[in-house]
Amino acid sequence: MKICVIGSGYVGLVAGTCFAESGNDVICVDVDEAKIEGLKKGVIPIYEPGLKELVLRNSEEGRLTFTTDLAAAVKASLINFIAVGTPPGEDGSADLKYVLDVARSIGRHMESFKVVVDKSTVPVGTADKVRAAMKEELDRRGVSLEFDVVSNPEFLKEGAAIDDFMKPDRVVIGTDNVRTAEIMKELYSPFMRKTNRLIVMDIRSAEMTKYAANAMLATKITFMNQIANLCERMGADVAAVREGIGSDSRIGYDFLFPGVGYGGSCFPKDVKALVKTAEECDYDFILLKAVEEANELQKRVLTDKIFRYFARENAGQPLAGKTIAVWGLSFKPRTDDMREAPSVVIVERLLELGARVAAHDPEAIKEAQKIFGDRVSYSHNQYEILKGADALAIVTEWSEYRNPDFDKIKSLLNRPLIFDGRNLYTPHRMRDAGVEYFPIGRNGKTMLEG
């Protein structure tokens, strides 16, 4: 099939590349000339495991091309994916400016039947706005051309996006048109060879499905963080509680790991957007408002622990002159994405309290430098930042941090002290290693003394 993907960011580039990998001819379009020139040379603007190899192979074999010429791409393609950003507005609602600009451009340049697919995460009712914007352009041109608008939300996890696309849990297609549904089924058939996980529904339900899925996952994470905070106050072990409730098939183990809050490009933005959508329908989404508030508070839990610990030595300015080493800056492992990352709140608060911060991350240092500049020192060696530091704070659960050399850690830190925002280790293991350990939801002090 001839496909055009407009927007070569995270979603657009992954989708376009995977469609090309399944044999389609794909044109990726973006207004950023530097990005397009880079992609033509094999420079991938994001970090995603396996993506670069697929981009290079499909580019070399001629199935994947990159351009800034939207008009030519639209004319050459049957299916036009809209995969541009929908940043949150000041009131939390999704900003559809870029989506509707693309819709108008398609209407301006199309010369035959087109299937226009909303791949961007958009509020319920966006397909109607896309359809209206396209029709307005066609009317202005004085032409009558058939087209259809489809909702096809993405469910990609950063760090595992290629597998998620090639072996999806489900593919949601929102359309009321039988012919369009068959076109989309054919497009996705290479990804459905073992079992058919393609679900066709009405457009508004498809648009709601994406928001509902992300809001549910954000709620599950936040619930477990709240349970962890309560466990810590009551002397319970959240790891044991997770095992106890996760074994219930109605609940499951996924997204029940406590930590320092969720972040990234999806959950925070989509929770805000769904709350705003509810308000526009005169509905007070109390639960999601609480989720949003609790998540922001959770980002302070680790710094609160650090502050209280050092306040025992200096009640006035406990962190003044202290150096805190931070392992992990990206909002999750296997990505360099720092959008809404808990690390941003944690590092900014440490700096605000007078601490010096030395940071390591396998992939996100360049992104961190854009945010913190030279207020933070960085190293590509996770042990180098420990030298002379007063404590280690673990913020992101990269694999590199799961089995470190604790003897080396102890020899480099001023004192053997770890604040673990991801519960990577057990209190028993830390006690044996001679490390003073403060995890989330496990009452580190009690465990150390026990």
Side-chain angles (χ1 to χ4, degrees), residues 414-432:
N414 285 342
R415 65 182 89 187
L417 177 59
I418 296 178
F419 296 91
D420 186 355
R422 295 297 180 179
N423 289 4
L424 297 188
Y425 320 122
T426 65
H428 176 76
R429 182 184 182 189
M430 293 297 92
R431 183 169 57 244
D432 289 348

Side-chain angles (χ1 to χ4, degrees), residues 139 217 219 249 255 263 391 430:
D139 289 346
L217 295 175
T219 301
S249 60
F255 289 87
M430 293 297 92

